[in-house]
Amino acid sequence: MRTTIILKTASNYLLPVLLVFSIFILLRGHYLPGGGFVGGLIASIAFILHSFANGLEKTKELLIVHPGFLLPVGLAISFMAGLAPVIFFDMPFMTGLWSHDTVAILGKVGSALFFDIGVYLVVNGVTLTIIFTISESA
Amino acid sequence: MLTAILTGFIFSILLVFVGKFFKGKLSILASIVPLGLFLYFFQFIAPIADGEVITRSFQWIPSFGVDLGFKLDGLSLLFSLMITGIGFLVFAYTSSYLKGHEYLDRFYGYLAAFMGAMLGLVLSDNMITLFVFWELTSISSFFLIGFNNTNPASRKSAMTALGITGIGGLLLLASALLLNNITGTYSISEMLSMSEAIRGNEFYAVAVMLLFGAAFTKSAQFPFHFWLPGAMKAPTPVSTYLHSATMVKAGIYLLMRFTPILGGENIWNYTLIIVGGITMLYSAIHTLFRTDLKGILAYSTISALGILVFLIGLGTEEAFLAAAVFIIVHALYKATLFLVTGIIDHQTHTRDVTRLAGLNKIMLPVGIAGILAAISSAGIPPTIGFIGKELTYEATYHSETIIIISMIAIVLTKILLLYAGFVAGIKPFTGKLPEEHKNVKAPGPIMWIPPVLLATLGLVFGIAPFLIEGALIKPVVTALGGDASEIHLALWHGFNLIFILSLITIGVGTTLYFVIKPSEKLVASAAKFNSISPENILNLINKGFVQFSNFWTNFFQNGYLRNYISIIILFLVVLVGYIMIGNTRFVIDYNSLSKITVYEITTTLILIAGIFYTVFTESRLAAVAAMGVVGLSICLIFVFYSAPDLAMTQFSIDTLTVILFVLVLYKLPKYLKLSDYKTRVRDGVLSSVFGLIITVLALEVLSEPVSKQVGEFYAANSYVEAHGKNVVNVILVDFRGADTLIEVSVLSIAAVGVFGLMKLRLKMRDRKRYADTSLKQENKEQ
C-alpha cells in the first residue's frame, strides 16, 4: 500500500493521543458515556490507522505481541474480576466489590473496572486479530 | 451407594493415568473392582430379605426436583448382584481372552464405566438420574460394541445400537417429563403412592407408550430387536456382559420397576403380552436359521427377553415370581454359553457350529459348563432352569387372558430355545472331532473357571432353590407389588398338566435337535425374507430420510450467502406478517409522536440517499463508503435521542466495518455484476416488504403502553447497588455482567475462527499428502 507523508506523520502523533483517549473512555465509563467496549474499539482504530500509514509490519513491531494474545489475557482478567468475590469473600459470582475511598479521577474503584479492562483488551484483541489476519491474507 | 456407582467411573478415569499397569500380566487385578462391589452388595442380602429398603439421597439440582436419590430394594439388589457378580467373572475372563491386546486398558475402562452406569441405572430413584445413567449405558456400550474400530461392520453395528437405544433413552426422558407433569415429582418412590392418580390421568396412555419405547428398544423387543444380533460384532466378553446379563435387561428392569406404578391397566398388560409374545416366538424361530454360535445366542437372548416382557405383561403374582426366577436362570446359562462360545472362538478361530464337534476331548471343563448351561436353558431337572420353566408355564396357565394362544406360544418358544441351547452348548462338544481342529489347545484356567462357576451355580440353585428363594426372589416379588409370603420354590411340585407340557417340551425339543442340523442351506433360506425384515425396512426409511435431508440441505444451504439472507428475511416476513394480519390496528396517535426537527429530516434524507447510492452504484468501493454514510447517519439519530453510548459504539464499529470491507475488496477482482435485473427487482421487493412490516411493527409497538418497570429498576439501583451513574455501562459490567463475559468469549472464538480460517490454510504439498493417505485408507477398507 502506498502511503503519504502527511498520513504517516499524522498517525505517529495520533496513535498516542487516540490510545490515551481510549483509556480515558474506558475509565470514565462507569459514570459517563464510555466503557471497555467502546474504549477497545477506539484503541484498535488507533492501531489500524497506524498500520495504514506505516504498514502492518511496523504496527506489529509496535505491539510486540500478537493481538491474539490479548484475548486470553482479557478473558482471564474479566473472569477473575467475577471470581474474586467467590474466592475472597464467599459471595456469589460477579458480586461487585468496591473500595471505601475514592481515587482521584477514577472515583470509586471496584471489580467492575477490572471487568471492563478485560473487555477492553478482548475487544481490542478481537478487532485487531480479525483485521490484521484479513489484511495479511487478502 | 453413590461411591459404589462412582467406583466404576473413577476406575475408568484412573486408567488414563495408570492404564499400562492393567495391560500386561497384572490385568486380572482389574477384576478386584467388581469383586469388591459384589461383596459390598452381598452384605445387603440379609437386611433386604427382612423387608428393609435402603435409600440414600444427595442433592443435585434441587430447584428442578432432580436429586441423586438411590434406593436399594429387592429388585435393584438382584440386578446389582448380577451386574457386579457377572461383571467380576467377565473382567477376569477378559484378562485372558484379550491377553496382550494393545487396548486392553481401554477395554477395561469402557467396561468399568458401563458397570458404573448400569449400577446407577438400577439404583436410581429419580427418573432424571435414571435417564442419565440409561444414556450412559448406551454410550459406553457404543464404545464396547465398536471396540474393534478398524472393522467397518463393527463401527456400523455400534452406530445402529447407539441409534436405537439412544432414541429409546429420549423417549424415557419424555416419559419422565410427562410423569413429572402429572405427579409433580421425579422421585419413583413418591410416584408409587400416586399410581391411582397417574392411571386416571388423560396422558396415562402416552406416558406408558413412551416408557415402552424406552424399554423395548433397550431390551431388543420386536421390531427394534435387530441391533442386538448386530452388536455381536463386539468381543465376546462384551456380548456376555451387555447382551445377556445386564444392559438388555435394563428395559426389563424398567418395566418391572414401573409395574406397581403404571401396571394393571389393559393397555399395559396387553401391549406387553403381545409385543413380548411376538418377540419370543419370532426370534426363537430365527435361531433355527443360524449357524454362527453368537447369532444363535443373540436370537435366543431376544427370545428370553420376550418371555420376560410377556411375563411382566401377564401381571399376576405368579408371573412376577416366574420372571424373577427366569432372570436368574437366563443370566446364569446365557452368560455361561457366551463365555463358552468365546473360548471356542478364541481357541479354534471359528464360531460356525457346522464345523464344530467333539471339542470335549480337548477342553473338558468348558464342555461340562456348556452342557450344564444347555440343560438349564432346556429346563431339564435338576437345574434352576427347570424351576423357571415350570413357573413360566404355570403363570401362563393361570393367567386370565387368551390362555390357549399364549400357552401354545410359550411352549413353542421353549421348545425352540431348548434346541438353540443344545446347539450352542452341546453340539460343539459331542461327536467326532473334525480334522481341522486336531491341534486346538485347551484354554487356561482363568478362562474356563468363570463359565464353569456360572453353570455350577445354575445346578446348585436348582437342587437347593431355598438358597435364592428368601434371599433374592421374594424381595423382588415384593418390590413388584406382589405378596411374597406364599412363595415356595421346589423342583417337584406334583404330576399335573404343567408337568406333562414340560415333558412334551423336552421330548419335542430333543427330537428337533437330532432332526434339524444347522446348515448353510437353512441360513440361505431365511435370507430370502431379508427384504421384509424390520432391519431392512428401517434401513429403507433411513435412506429416504437421508435423501430428504440432502434435498433440504441443498435447497436451503446452497452456499450462497445472499440466498441465506433472502430466505431468512422471507421467513421473517411470512411469520411476522401472518401474526400481524388481523392483529394490527393501524391506529397511529399523532399526538404521542414527538416533533420532527430539521436535523432529523436532514439526517434521514442523507440516510436514504446513502441507501440508494449503495444499491445503484457501479463501484464497489463507493458502495462501501455509502454504507458507511448510512451507518453514520444512524449514529447521528442515536445522538438525537440521547444515547451517546450507543452512538459511540456504532461510530467505532461502523468505521471498523468500512475498513474491513475495504481490506477485503481491495484484493477482489473487478466489479462483477452478479445479479441481473430480475433478481434485483426480487430483492428490492423483498426488502421493501420487510422494511414496511418492521415500520408497521414499530408503530404498533408505540401504540401499546410501555412497561417501564425494568428501566426504572436499573435507573433506581445502578448508583445504589453498583456505584455507577452510567446505567448502560452498569448493566453491561454489573447487572448483566455474565452476559458480557460470555459475549466477549464468543467474540474471542470468532477471532480465533477467522485466524484459523485465514492463516492455517494447508499448504498445497500437505494437502496432497492428506488426500493420498485418505485415499489409501479407503482402498484398504474395500
Side-chain angles (χ1 to χ4, degrees):
Chain A
M1 223 183 270
R2 274 180 299 151
T3 48
T4 65
I5 288 284
I6 299 171
L7 186 61
K8 227 174 183 172
T9 322
S11 77
N12 282 339
Y13 287 104
L14 274 174
L15 179 72
V17 173
L18 273 172
L19 282 181
V20 169
F21 179 63
S22 80
I23 290 167
F24 165 72
I25 287 282
L26 159 74
L27 292 181
R28 70 176 218 153
H30 219 54
Y31 299 95
L32 294 162
F37 207 92
V38 187
L41 288 175
I42 293 171
S44 47
I45 288 176
F47 284 115
I48 287 163
L49 186 69
H50 186 264
S51 80
F52 271 25
N54 303 301
L56 207 52
E57 291 309 313
K58 287 265 169 55
T59 318
K60 278 190 159 174
E61 275 168 31
L62 199 71
L63 273 169
I64 305 167
V65 292
H66 187 278
F69 282 107
L70 294 177
L71 306 180
V73 174
L75 280 179
I77 292 175
S78 287
F79 192 68
M80 283 314 293
L83 208 60
V86 183
I87 296 172
F88 299 116
F89 299 96
D90 200 25
M91 287 190 284
F93 185 63
M94 296 223 63
T95 314
L97 300 173
W98 292 94
S99 65
H100 292 292
D101 311 311
T102 48
V103 179
I105 306 169
L106 291 182
K108 278 192 174 176
V109 177
S111 59
L113 180 66
F114 292 95
F115 185 82
D116 233 8
I117 292 173
V119 173
Y120 174 92
L121 291 177
V122 172
V123 169
N124 200 356
V126 167
T127 5
L128 288 184
T129 311
I130 292 179
I131 291 190
F132 280 7
T133 9
I134 287 182
S135 64
E136 268 175 9
S137 332
Chain B
M1 227 180 276
L2 184 63
T3 330
I5 294 164
L6 288 180
T7 309
F9 294 108
I10 294 168
F11 176 72
S12 84
I13 292 168
L14 268 182
L15 283 178
V16 176
F17 307 104
V18 293
K20 286 216 174 69
F21 181 72
F22 289 105
K23 233 189 243 186
K25 281 185 180 152
L26 292 169
S27 58
I28 194 162
L29 285 180
S31 57
I32 289 172
V33 178
L35 179 63
L37 288 174
F38 179 74
L39 295 176
Y40 169 78
F41 284 110
F42 197 79
Q43 54 160 343
F44 287 112
I45 288 183
I48 299 282
D50 288 341
E52 221 177 296
V53 173
I54 296 150
T55 52
R56 295 270 186 288
S57 189
F58 305 89
Q59 278 207 341
W60 187 14
I61 318 171
S63 48
F64 281 114
V66 177
D67 55 19
L68 291 168
F70 299 110
K71 185 166 97 173
L72 190 66
D73 63 355
L75 186 58
S76 35
L77 181 67
L78 172 67
F79 276 91
S80 307
L81 286 173
M82 264 171 23
I83 293 160
T84 50
I86 295 180
F88 162 60
L89 296 175
V90 167
F91 267 64
Y93 177 88
T94 307
S95 72
S96 175
Y97 185 82
L98 288 179
K99 197 178 202 165
H101 194 285
E102 195 183 352
Y103 296 125
L104 182 59
D105 52 339
R106 241 182 247 186
F107 187 80
Y108 273 132
Y110 299 148
L111 215 53
F114 172 79
M115 186 179 68
M118 203 60 210
L119 278 177
L121 198 164
V122 298
L123 291 171
S124 293
D125 192 33
N126 188 292
M127 278 197 85
I128 297 296
T129 324
L130 178 77
F131 160 75
V132 171
F133 284 118
W134 182 279
E135 291 297 53
L136 277 175
T137 61
S138 294
I139 293 165
S140 47
S141 75
F142 166 75
F143 287 120
L144 284 168
I145 296 169
F147 184 65
N148 296 322
N149 55 20
T150 45
N151 178 2
S154 185
R155 292 201 300 263
K156 187 169 173 277
S157 43
M159 286 297 284
T160 314
L162 181 69
I164 300 277
T165 55
I167 288 172
L170 294 181
L171 296 179
L172 178 67
L173 181 63
S175 169
L177 295 176
L178 202 57
L179 286 174
N180 177 56
N181 215 354
I182 297 171
T183 61
T185 177
Y186 284 117
S187 161
I188 297 170
S189 310
E190 281 174 37
M191 282 179 193
L192 206 54
S193 57
M194 285 181 252
S195 102
E196 286 292 320
I198 300 173
R199 273 180 252 179
N201 194 286
E202 53 178 329
F203 291 116
Y204 166 76
V206 183
V208 166
M209 284 303 148
L210 290 170
L211 196 81
F212 280 173
F216 291 168
T217 47
K218 198 75 155 185
S219 280
Q221 296 297 299
F222 185 86
F224 307 110
H225 63 279
F226 53 84
W227 70 263
L228 187 60
M232 292 299 144
K233 299 280 184 301
T236 306
V238 176
S239 310
T240 315
Y241 197 33
L242 272 65
H243 307 129
S244 72
T246 56
M247 183 172 91
V248 288
K249 289 223 173 74
I252 304 296
Y253 166 80
L254 189 73
L255 293 177
M256 289 179 124
R257 178 55 84 206
F258 278 89
T259 297
I261 302 172
L262 301 172
E265 297 286 317
N266 278 344
I267 181 173
W268 174 276
N269 288 351
Y270 282 118
T271 317
L272 289 184
I273 291 175
I274 293 167
V275 172
I278 293 174
T279 309
M280 67 187 185
L281 204 56
Y282 172 85
S283 43
I285 294 170
H286 257 279
T287 56
L288 287 176
F289 302 99
R290 293 283 172 277
T291 54
D292 179 12
L293 275 176
K294 266 178 129 181
I296 295 171
L297 290 177
Y299 274 104
S300 77
T301 302
I302 300 173
S303 180
L305 294 168
I307 293 175
L308 283 170
V309 170
F310 172 78
L311 284 173
I312 297 168
L314 290 178
T316 58
E317 237 156 70
E318 271 183 322
F320 295 154
L321 172 66
V325 174
F326 190 60
I327 286 176
I328 299 178
V329 172
H330 179 249
L332 289 177
Y333 83 71
K334 192 51 68 64
T336 312
L337 287 178
F338 266 117
L339 292 177
V340 166
T341 302
I343 295 172
I344 293 173
D345 190 16
H346 193 259
Q347 305 301 117
T348 66
H349 304 293
T350 177
R351 292 196 310 251
D352 189 341
V353 76
T354 55
R355 287 166 57 194
L356 292 166
L359 286 174
N360 62 336
K361 293 183 187 84
I362 298 162
M363 35 180 112
L364 187 63
V366 184
I368 292 172
I371 290 165
L372 274 180
I375 290 173
S376 186
S377 93
I380 294 173
T383 56
I384 181 87
F386 175 69
I387 301 178
K389 183 174 50 114
E390 300 294 280
L391 287 171
T392 312
Y393 282 180
E394 224 161 303
T396 318
Y397 184 61
H398 292 158
S399 69
E400 289 157 13
T401 40
I402 44 174
I403 298 170
I404 298 174
I405 300 175
S406 36
M407 224 42 225
I408 294 172
I410 191 89
V411 172
L412 263 179
T413 309
K414 285 283 182 184
I415 291 172
L416 291 166
L417 281 187
L418 182 145
Y419 165 82
F422 275 17
V423 169
I426 296 181
K427 176 139 194 320
F429 298 104
T430 51
K432 204 172 145 280
L433 190 69
E435 213 39 55
E436 55 173 327
H437 298 321
K438 276 281 185 309
N439 299 324
V440 170
K441 288 186 188 67
I446 296 172
M447 249 181 158
W448 60 256
I449 287 174
V452 169
L453 205 61
L454 286 170
T456 318
L457 272 183
L459 192 63
V460 169
F461 289 158
I463 296 169
F466 57 85
L467 284 177
I468 51 168
E469 180 189 295
L472 293 173
I473 303 298
K474 278 186 181 179
V476 173
V477 177
T478 316
L480 281 167
D483 176 20
S485 54
E486 297 292 309
I487 289 172
H488 186 69
L489 296 181
L491 267 181
W492 177 252
H493 52 87
F495 188 82
N496 50 19
L497 182 71
I498 304 300
F499 191 71
I500 295 171
L501 281 174
S502 216
L503 287 180
I504 293 175
T505 312
I506 296 169
V508 175
T510 318
T511 325
L512 206 63
Y513 170 65
F514 285 111
V515 173
I516 302 178
K517 294 282 165 208
S519 68
E520 293 300 328
K521 239 192 232 166
L522 280 171
V523 176
S525 66
K528 280 178 202 152
F529 296 99
N530 262 353
S531 60
I532 53 164
S533 70
E535 182 175 13
N536 202 43
I537 291 168
L538 196 94
N539 278 341
L540 280 179
I541 296 173
N542 244 345
K543 223 184 234 171
F545 206 77
V546 169
Q547 272 170 359
F548 174 72
S549 50
N550 274 343
F551 163 77
W552 183 268
T553 313
N554 289 339
F555 188 77
F556 287 107
Q557 312 278 321
N558 53 6
Y560 293 108
L561 198 60
R562 50 178 186 274
N563 275 23
Y564 293 179
I565 293 171
S566 309
I567 287 167
I568 290 168
I569 291 178
L570 189 70
F571 202 70
L572 255 177
V573 166
V574 170
L575 272 188
V576 177
Y578 176 74
I579 297 290
M580 276 164 63
I581 291 173
N583 290 328
T584 317
R585 281 165 296 165
F586 296 107
V587 182
I588 299 166
D589 180 9
Y590 290 99
N591 294 325
S592 72
L593 299 180
S594 51
K595 290 244 159 49
I596 300 168
T597 58
V598 183
Y599 344 104
E600 280 162 19
I601 294 172
T602 325
T603 317
T604 315
L605 286 178
I606 295 172
L607 194 145
I608 291 171
I611 289 172
F612 275 96
Y613 196 76
T614 315
V615 175
F616 291 108
T617 179
E618 290 285 313
S619 147
R620 201 185 275 135
L621 207 59
V624 171
M627 284 270 286
V629 171
V630 175
L632 290 182
S633 314
I634 293 173
C635 228
L636 271 180
I637 293 174
F638 283 145
V639 172
F640 296 151
Y641 289 94
S642 53
D645 275 285
L646 267 180
M648 277 165 74
T649 316
Q650 169 82 22
F651 177 80
S652 332
I653 289 275
D654 208 67
T655 314
L656 286 169
T657 320
V658 171
I659 290 173
L660 202 63
F661 267 121
V662 171
L663 281 176
V664 175
L665 298 183
Y666 187 71
K667 295 284 164 125
L668 284 183
K670 275 226 150 199
Y671 200 80
L672 294 171
K673 276 209 162 173
L674 286 173
S675 49
D676 59 6
Y677 185 66
K678 269 186 200 160
T679 47
R680 279 178 165 229
V681 170
R682 190 197 68 192
D683 291 349
V685 169
L686 191 62
S687 355
S688 310
V689 172
F690 184 60
L692 193 73
I693 279 187
I694 294 299
T695 312
V696 175
L697 200 66
L699 288 173
E700 192 66 20
V701 168
L702 275 184
S703 67
E704 293 285 329
V706 185
S707 161
K708 289 186 175 158
Q709 230 177 338
V710 180
E712 274 164 9
F713 169 82
Y714 286 130
N717 288 301
S718 75
Y719 193 68
V720 185
E721 302 262 333
H723 305 266
K725 285 178 187 155
N726 179 4
V727 182
V728 177
N729 189 266
V730 168
I731 291 174
L732 278 178
V733 300
D734 198 301
F735 288 122
R736 306 204 61 85
D739 279 7
T740 313
L741 191 60
I742 292 166
E743 224 164 89
V744 286
S745 317
V746 171
L747 274 181
S748 316
I749 293 167
V752 172
V754 171
F755 185 78
L757 278 176
M758 305 297 279
K759 282 281 176 164
L760 305 178
R761 280 188 288 195
L762 290 177
K763 287 187 186 110
M764 229 24 211
R765 182 164 40 88
D766 294 335
R767 234 187 271 180
K768 197 161 178 301
R769 209 182 60 215
Y770 278 114
D772 283 350
T773 46
S774 63
L775 204 73
K776 253 182 225 159
Q777 248 165 13
E778 255 169 48
N779 287 339
K780 223 184 257 172
E781 274 167 22
Q782 280 162 3

